Amino acid sequence: MLDNQGKALLVLNGLPHVGPITLNRLLEAFDGDAVQVMQAKRNALMGVQGVGPKMAETLSSWREHFDLNRELALLKKHRAGFVTRGDGDYPELLLQTADPPIGLYKGGQLELAGLRCIGIVGTRKPTLYGQKMAGTIAGRLSRAGFCIVSGMARGVDAAAHLGALNAGGPSVGILGCGLD
């Protein structure tokens, strides 16, 4: 049984066949209470726009689709956390997007409040000149007080992160995936 909002949101975030738009609708329908969503009967779930029989079944039998203990062990192993929209360190600007994720995995510190951030992204196969320039630009921006944000991919992204770190500045990597 899920009796904790954080764990319920972690499960909802990791279920197959349940996308962010429908997750937001489900939370809205159940007064923002993820535990209620997880404990709801199939008929109540199917009363939410976008929830059909397959999704209702996935939600009702979530243990068959998501191993909560494994996920919690991965969080511990990687010294990571799961930040939800109700947490103080959830990025405020992300809340202003059309469909903000219900949660984010994080490693390290995620204290972006007050930081000026700039994203640097690019090809995974840059020229040597492209790599050098990405690192140089990121280093200069970092020394000017910017936090460098990128996707941690090889190539331009990696060069930007390294440029920021070599300059002694902050660097944030955003991955569009979970811990595994």
Side-chain angles (χ1 to χ4, degrees), residues 43-143:
N43 289 343
L45 293 168
M46 288 179 50
V48 176
Q49 180 185 358
V51 178
K54 184 175 184 177
M55 189 180 301
E57 177 61 31
T58 298
L59 288 162
S60 297
S61 60
W62 67 266
R63 286 175 185 83
E64 296 174 22
H65 305 281
F66 187 85
D67 186 343
L68 178 59
N69 290 328
R70 177 185 173 275
E71 196 74 2
L72 293 171
L74 278 172
L75 284 169
K76 186 174 181 178
K77 175 184 174 184
H78 294 293
R79 293 178 287 160
F82 187 71
V83 181
T84 64
R85 292 187 289 210
D87 296 332
D89 52 353
Y90 189 95
E92 188 176 325
L93 289 174
L94 192 55
L95 289 172
Q96 297 175 21
T97 62
D99 294 307
I102 63 169
L104 302 169
Y105 291 93
K106 75 166 191 163
Q109 300 301 314
L110 189 64
E111 297 171 4
L112 300 179
L115 284 178
R116 296 182 304 165
C117 296
I118 189 162
I120 298 179
V121 295
T123 182
R124 292 178 188 214
K125 297 180 182 179
T127 63
L128 290 175
Y129 176 76
Q131 278 184 296
K132 180 180 177 185
M133 290 310 300
T136 299
I137 291 168
R140 288 181 181 169
L141 287 167
S142 185
R143 283 188 288 281

